[in-house]
Amino acid sequence: MCGGKNNSTGLLLAMVAGAALGTLVGVLVAPNSGRKTRKKIKAKTRGLKEQAKHKYEEVADKVKEEYDHVSSSISETAGHVADKVSDEFDKYKDQISAKTAEETKAIKDAVKDQKEK
């Protein structure tokens, strides 16, 4: 899971860097005046900023969804484990109570037998 998030972040950064580099090269080699070039750079920068913001929101949403899924899964599993432990505890408690009652009766019978002799 963590590898997928790191890959998504790396991919996002690579896409933004590639787009910025491509835009910069394209603008610098275009035969425009300085004013037009600056306007184009500003417009492209705004566009890239919006794209990056959008991608960031997408990744953040995916991370939140994954966190919620994992969190719910862990809670559910913990509930099952707690139920199983409780059931096993009750089972062993009943077995110990029954064995203790048996042994107590056996001791009482043995004491009674000794008194009768």
Side-chain angles (χ1 to χ4, degrees), residues 17-18 30 82 85 95 102 115:
V85 168
Q95 289 176 352
E102 266 179 45
K115 284 184 181 179

Coordinates of all heavy atoms in Angstrom, one line a residue, residues 17-18 30 82 85 95 102 115:
A17 N 6.7 18.5 -13.0 CA 8.0 18.9 -13.5 C 8.1 18.8 -15.0 O 8.6 19.8 -15.6 CB 9.1 18.1 -12.8
G18 N 7.6 17.7 -15.6 CA 7.7 17.6 -17.0 C 6.9 18.6 -17.8 O 7.3 19.2 -18.8
A30 N 9.8 30.1 -28.7 CA 8.7 30.7 -29.5 C 9.2 32.1 -29.9 O 9.8 32.8 -29.1 CB 7.4 30.8 -28.7
A82 N -11.6 -9.7 19.8 CA -12.1 -9.5 21.1 C -13.2 -10.5 21.4 O -13.3 -11.1 22.5 CB -12.6 -8.1 21.3
V85 N -11.6 -14.0 21.9 CA -10.9 -14.1 23.2 C -12.0 -14.3 24.3 O -11.8 -15.1 25.2 CB -10.0 -12.9 23.4 CG1 -9.5 -12.8 24.8 CG2 -8.8 -13.0 22.4
Q95 N -14.9 -24.6 32.2 CA -14.2 -25.9 32.4 C -13.5 -25.9 33.7 O -13.6 -26.9 34.4 CB -13.2 -26.1 31.3 CG -13.8 -26.4 29.9 CD -12.8 -26.5 28.8 OE1 -11.6 -26.3 29.0 NE2 -13.2 -27.0 27.6
E102 N -15.8 -30.7 40.7 CA -15.6 -32.1 40.7 C -14.5 -32.4 41.8 O -14.7 -33.4 42.6 CB -15.0 -32.6 39.4 CG -15.9 -33.1 38.4 CD -15.2 -33.5 37.1 OE1 -14.1 -34.2 37.2 OE2 -15.7 -33.2 36.0
K115 N -13.8 -40.0 57.9 CA -14.6 -39.8 59.2 C -15.4 -41.1 59.5 O -15.5 -41.4 60.7 CB -15.5 -38.7 59.1 CG -14.8 -37.3 59.2 CD -15.9 -36.2 59.2 CE -15.2 -34.9 59.2 NZ -16.2 -33.8 59.2

